[in-house]
Amino acid sequence: MSEGVTPVRYAIVGLGSRADMYVDALATRFPANARLVALCDTNETRMGVHNRRLVEQHGLAALPTYAPADFTEMLSRERVDAVMICTTDSAHDDYLVATVEAGLRAVTEKPMTTDVEKARRILEAQQRTGGRIEVTFNYRYNPVHQRVRELLAEKVIGDVGSVHFEWLLDVQHGADYFRRWHRNRENSGGLLVHKSSHHFDLVNWWLGDAPDSVVGLGNLFFYGAEGGARTGYAKDYARAAGSQAAATDPFALDMAASPRLTELYLDAEHEDGYHRDRNVFAGDIDIEDDMSVLARYRGGASLTYQLTAYAPYEGYRVSFNGTKGRLELDVLENDYARSPLEHGSRMGATPGSVEEVVPTRTAITLRPLFQPAEVLLDEPMRPGHGGGDDLMLDALFGPPAADPLGLRADHVAGARALAIGLAATKSFGTGGLVRIADLLPI
Ligand SMILES: NC(=O)c1ccc[n+]([C@@H]2O[C@H](COP(=O)([O-])OP(=O)(O)OC[C@H]3O[C@@H](n4cnc5c(N)ncnc54)[C@H](O)[C@@H]3O)[C@@H](O)[C@H]2O)c1
């Protein structure tokens, strides 16, 4: 008689675009270990889209759907073992707390949450229940980022004194954060929380250290009403759908051109008024698009970090200065952002448009003291966040495996990744240095 493993029963809460990856993985890749059993969202239409995919693409039965008010009932009725949280960032805390209070495993998309109060609430609930919380930092799993971690641990550059990190979001991807819910701090915490928590987590993990104190400068420079008026890019419309003015705006998103965006968002608007195609030069945007951060780590290393959300191309550069030399990571995710007016939008691809092969590059260079530089790696970037997504799914849903590099991130890593962005945002207002210990008990 074969000894079968009982599959872990998962519910997904938050069935937007990110949930696709988890629905597909749970539907197809881990039949012996993991099973998707229920969906929960504020929007019934979006849950219907995912159910249709389960039936039509995967040949599976549609799953029961639940409204947020019935979340706890769902956990017991569907005998859920673990919850995958993919809602808007500001709702993560409610589901994390409810899940650990029910004694179940909680897995959340990054960022763990959006402000200090919610982060404290999660940490308190975890401590009170002893519950298991995991944060899906897929960037850690990118093999190139793993290589950097190994090289630093092998001390190829000795002890690290400082890290210099620049991340560029182009005017396609970067603009997308200003079209939808991310543009308001109450939903996303701002880009230093929503986006940079990935980057700060990488630095924390690469260095094997925790941040101590932070100072930051932030500016809404390019997007928003003032930026649009100053640069002349602003066009007069509230949202792109149905607007003549938007038809000539390279910053507009044409959802109707994409069957996927149409079914997931346009056709679901009547339920909750979620407009995913708003004008990026509107007056209600209250997050920054240009941010500089200085941080000191407990071990003594310093970090200088810059996030720009209106760049001509997408990519990032990280340099580590050490006692035995310097290590550089250089990643080009595209050569330049294509205008949707000429090329069809990358976010909402025009039907029938030929996908261009966009040049990408990932390079690691070691520059030892008194020796010539050595290129350790130089290759195109792999798809799926550099190949990180698939490896993370294996770790989350596959059979238990060793984790020598500490890829799996818990609530402490989630809080430390948040802490720099939260502290820097506080510093935007005061101009002063913020101690992490004064914000969060980590
Ligand atoms: N790690 C990555 O690379 C990556 C990439 C994209 C998104 N994300 C994260 O995934 C999450 C979802 O992002 P997305 O792009 O899919 O957003 P989305 O707007 O497409 O989807 C969010 C979903 O949450 C639902 N929702 C909102 N409030 C809710 C509530 N209170 N209860 C239940 N459902 C609620 C919405 O109806 C929507 O279906 C975010 O936390 C985001 O930061 C991570």
Side-chain angles (χ1 to χ4, degrees):
M1 199 171 74
S2 71
E3 289 232 354
V5 187
T6 310
V8 177
R9 297 171 66 83
Y10 284 88
I12 298 184
V13 53
L15 278 300
S17 55
R18 183 61 175 164
D20 274 0
M21 184 183 82
Y22 297 108
V23 170
D24 287 348
L26 286 166
T28 58
R29 280 186 46 192
F30 309 96
N33 292 85
R35 180 169 304 159
L36 184 57
V37 297
L39 310 178
C40 174
D41 198 295
T42 44
N43 191 298
E44 194 64 46
T45 307
R46 261 192 292 282
M47 289 194 280
V49 171
H50 287 276
N51 257 335
R52 224 169 28 247
R53 272 157 53 83
L54 283 174
V55 174
E56 291 171 8
Q57 287 184 25
H58 300 305
L60 299 171
L63 294 172
T65 59
Y66 289 82
D70 302 321
F71 178 75
T72 315
E73 189 197 327
M74 171 186 79
L75 298 182
S76 52
R77 190 189 293 172
E78 306 299 339
R79 293 178 288 113
V80 171
D81 299 310
V83 178
M84 182 69 236
I85 301 165
C86 299
T87 63
T88 31
D89 304 343
S90 56
H92 291 179
D93 66 316
D94 281 342
Y95 294 107
L96 281 169
V97 171
T99 303
V100 293
E101 282 181 343
L104 306 177
R105 174 176 155 227
V107 186
T108 183
E109 259 300 347
K110 53 45 64 176
M112 190 167 77
T113 187
T114 48
D115 64 30
V116 170
E117 209 172 285
K118 289 175 184 222
R120 286 188 178 177
R121 182 176 171 230
I122 293 166
L123 294 172
E124 183 281 321
Q126 190 286 326
Q127 200 162 35
R128 177 165 39 83
T129 59
R132 184 166 159 206
I133 291 177
E134 287 168 80
V135 185
T136 56
F137 285 124
N138 48 337
Y139 285 29
R140 288 189 182 192
Y141 289 83
N142 177 336
V144 174
H145 297 163
Q146 294 192 45
R147 185 78 191 110
V148 169
R149 161 99 169 147
E150 284 165 352
L151 289 164
L152 293 174
E154 288 160 14
K155 299 270 182 195
V156 293
I157 58 162
D159 294 327
V160 176
S162 63
V163 183
H164 185 57
F165 197 153
E166 181 184 34
W167 197 286
L168 299 171
L169 295 167
D170 69 27
V171 280
Q172 273 278 11
H173 183 202
D176 207 43
Y177 296 113
F178 294 83
R179 297 184 184 116
R180 47 184 188 143
W181 50 264
H182 311 70
R183 75 202 223 151
N184 295 121
R185 196 180 309 282
E186 64 168 342
N187 300 326
S188 67
L191 290 184
L192 276 190
V193 169
H194 172 80
K195 187 72 196 169
S196 309
S197 57
H198 267 311
H199 316 151
F200 298 139
D201 175 67
L202 280 177
V203 179
N204 299 348
W205 175 68
W206 276 329
L207 297 184
D209 203 349
D212 174 76
S213 43
V214 175
V215 68
L217 290 174
N219 198 5
L220 178 59
F221 171 74
F222 184 81
Y223 302 106
E226 267 183 44
R230 195 179 58 249
T231 57
Y233 287 128
K235 303 256 185 198
D236 187 20
Y237 67 92
R239 59 161 320 182
S243 160
Q244 279 295 325
T248 55
D249 179 6
F251 296 95
L253 176 67
D254 181 7
M255 291 202 286
S258 156
R260 184 77 188 136
L261 292 176
T262 298
E263 64 174 358
L264 211 47
Y265 302 104
L266 258 185
D267 293 349
E269 287 177 356
H270 63 281
E271 287 193 50
D272 54 14
Y274 173 13
H275 292 169
R276 205 208 168 291
D277 60 348
R278 286 187 284 164
N279 190 330
V280 300
F281 300 109
D284 68 308
I285 293 170
D286 63 5
I287 62 167
E288 299 76 21
D289 56 25
D290 196 307
M291 290 139 278
S292 317
V293 173
L294 267 179
R296 173 73 71 193
Y297 275 76
R298 290 181 189 168
S302 63
L303 164 71
T304 54
Y305 172 86
Q306 174 74 27
L307 178 66
T308 305
Y310 54 90
Y313 75 96
E314 185 118 337
Y316 52 102
R317 285 196 177 141
V318 197
S319 315
F320 301 86
N321 299 304
T323 49
K324 292 185 180 169
R326 178 176 159 102
L327 189 69
E328 296 169 351
L329 169 64
D330 196 350
V331 178
L332 196 71
E333 299 197 16
N334 61 30
D335 52 349
Y336 73 100
R338 272 73 178 154
S339 165
L341 303 179
E342 289 157 36
H343 295 262
S345 165
R346 193 152 57 91
M347 307 300 304
T350 306
S353 70
V354 179
E355 278 294 320
E356 251 180 280
V357 178
V358 174
T360 66
R361 178 177 180 233
T362 307
I364 299 179
T365 308
L366 174 64
R367 299 180 187 277
L369 296 185
F370 305 117
Q371 284 175 49
E374 192 184 343
V375 177
L376 303 181
L377 180 131
D378 192 344
E379 61 183 32
M381 190 179 171
R382 298 173 209 181
H385 292 111
D389 281 343
D390 276 350
L391 295 172
M392 183 184 76
L393 293 169
D394 291 344
L396 280 178
F397 304 132
D403 183 18
L405 289 182
L407 291 161
R408 298 186 80 146
D410 64 6
H411 56 283
V412 177
R416 284 184 177 152
L418 276 178
I420 299 183
L422 293 175
T425 306
K426 187 167 183 203
S427 172
F428 293 168
T430 64
L433 188 83
V434 178
R435 304 278 318 236
I436 301 288
D438 295 336
L439 290 186
L440 293 175
I442 39 169

